[in-house]
Amino acid sequence: MAVKIKLKRLGKIREPYYRIVVADARTKRDGRAIEEIGKYHPKAEPSLIEVNSERVQHWLSVGAQPTDPVRVLLKITGDWQKFTGEPGTEGTLRTAEPRADKKERFAAAAKESQAGKEAKEAKEAKAKDGAKESPASQSRTRSAKPAKSKAPAEAADADAASEAPADAKAASEAPADAKATADVTADEPGSGA
């Protein structure tokens, strides 16, 4: 009986994960397995590869043949080099950094949140103190500037109002003159109109 070390696919669509299994070569991809010897999660960052090295060495020694994808995984873990006697038995497996304890993460987040609240309250208190000072500083700036007289501004407004009707009258006369000129040129012989 030919025995293979192959991947057994599990998971959802576009979310696969695999088990590394030892199975008869004639079984289906996800069929019955003799033994499960590892896991492979390709979607994790970095990819999770867990292999029972002792069982892999046993099955390779009794003649089980790994499929090409499993052979690549065994090279990453260093088990293939250990079996063949090649250098590099430590492998190139990357492991994820251990996650912090939930209680520690919560305490850090709470401490950060409290510091943010205190900073915001201090900023608001400082803004209120600045608002109390600002009316006094505004009165100082007003007294320092000379007051403008309203007379020149009112005179300018009156001149603009008196010129506006004259400009409107001139604008209404201009199109009439253009129309008369166009009528005269159309009546001339040889104009082509």
Side-chain angles (χ1 to χ4, degrees), residues 141-161:
T141 57
R142 286 183 187 160
S143 63
K145 293 182 183 176
K148 293 184 179 179
S149 66
K150 293 183 180 178
E154 291 173 1
D157 290 341
D159 290 340

Side-chain angles (χ1 to χ4, degrees), residues 61-119:
S61 66
V62 294
Q65 295 296 313
T67 60
D68 292 336
V70 172
R71 185 176 294 120
V72 170
L73 293 176
L74 293 179
K75 284 181 181 178
I76 291 171
T77 60
D79 291 315
W80 184 254
Q81 292 90 326
K82 195 181 295 181
F83 173 70
T84 58
E86 298 173 4
T89 57
E90 66 280 348
T92 58
L93 181 64
R94 295 186 307 153
T95 57
E97 296 177 10
R99 294 176 55 159
D101 185 35
K102 285 185 179 181
K103 289 182 181 179
E104 292 174 8
R105 286 188 295 176
F106 177 77
K111 188 175 183 181
E112 182 179 319
S113 175
Q114 186 64 29
K117 284 181 182 179
E118 290 173 359

Side-chain angles (χ1 to χ4, degrees), residues 8 16 32 64 105 116 122 130 133 147 158 162 166 168 186-187:
K8 179 178 183 178
R32 189 169 55 114
R105 286 188 295 176
E133 293 175 8
S162 64
D187 292 339

